[in-house]
Amino acid sequence: MKKFLFLAISIFIITSCNTDDDTPTETNFTGEWELVKTTSSIGDETKTGAEMEWQESYVLKADSTFTKTRVRDNKTSVAQGTFTINDNTEFYGLPAIASITMIYESENDIIATCYSDKLHEELYFDAKDVMISTYEQCDGLGLEYARILD
């Protein structure tokens, strides 16, 4: 009887274990991302909407190319390049669901980078529809983007 009970409990434990695949599902980050908030690295001054010094957006395309557009003082600047999505649960010690590496075709003043090569930009996703620049990590502005949903 003890053997039967042990066998029954063992089978129950084995079959009740979660057999679902715990691999995270691929999230689609393509689409338009608009700058919604800037935060100064000194004094923590936060600006949103029309208060911000410029308006800015990224368009991430399915072919892993992107366009970044900034409008400041009625002047539009555009930069383009390719991107790679990296699976992360942490990025520079910050909680993330993924990070994105941008590689620009040429130098441009709108690239918010901490890197000396000036063509490399890093951002991370802390939620499905929130993308944050790492520029603040090197005393730049904190830049937060929201996905524009159709």
Side-chain angles (χ1 to χ4, degrees):
M1 183 67 164
K2 287 182 183 181
K3 289 181 183 180
F4 175 77
L5 185 58
F6 176 76
L7 181 62
I9 292 173
S10 297
I11 291 173
F12 175 76
I13 290 172
I14 290 170
T15 59
S16 66
C17 291
N18 184 357
T19 59
D20 292 342
D21 184 5
D22 290 334
T23 306
T25 58
E26 186 173 321
T27 303
N28 182 359
F29 295 106
T30 59
E32 186 171 0
W33 295 82
E34 182 178 281
L35 182 65
V36 294
K37 181 169 70 171
T38 62
T39 307
S40 67
S41 59
I42 301 171
D44 291 330
E45 181 182 358
T46 299
K47 293 183 180 182
T48 59
E51 298 176 324
M52 296 183 300
E53 294 178 34
W54 65 82
Q55 302 301 309
E56 185 170 273
S57 66
Y58 288 92
V59 176
L60 307 180
K61 300 175 188 160
D63 65 357
S64 296
T65 62
F66 72 91
T67 302
K68 181 177 183 178
T69 305
R70 179 182 289 175
V71 178
R72 183 178 196 163
D73 299 327
N74 294 319
K75 180 184 173 206
T76 301
S77 299
V78 177
Q80 298 177 327
T82 58
F83 69 88
T84 304
I85 300 289
N86 312 296
D87 289 332
N88 298 81
T89 56
E90 186 177 296
F91 191 69
Y92 288 107
L94 304 166
I97 59 172
S99 66
I100 184 168
T101 302
M102 307 285 201
I103 304 297
Y104 287 85
E105 294 173 350
S106 59
E107 287 188 22
N108 193 308
D109 290 339
I110 69 174
I111 301 172
T113 186
C114 296
Y115 295 96
S116 61
D117 69 7
K118 304 296 182 201
L119 296 175
H120 182 204
E121 189 176 44
E122 300 265 1
L123 299 98
Y124 67 96
F125 302 93
D126 78 341
K128 182 179 177 189
D129 297 319
V130 178
M131 183 171 71
I132 300 172
S133 172
T134 60
Y135 192 47
E136 188 174 26
Q137 302 299 315
C138 59
D139 296 328
L141 285 176
L143 305 169
E144 185 174 308
Y145 302 83
R147 184 194 301 259
I148 304 301
L149 302 172
D150 295 329

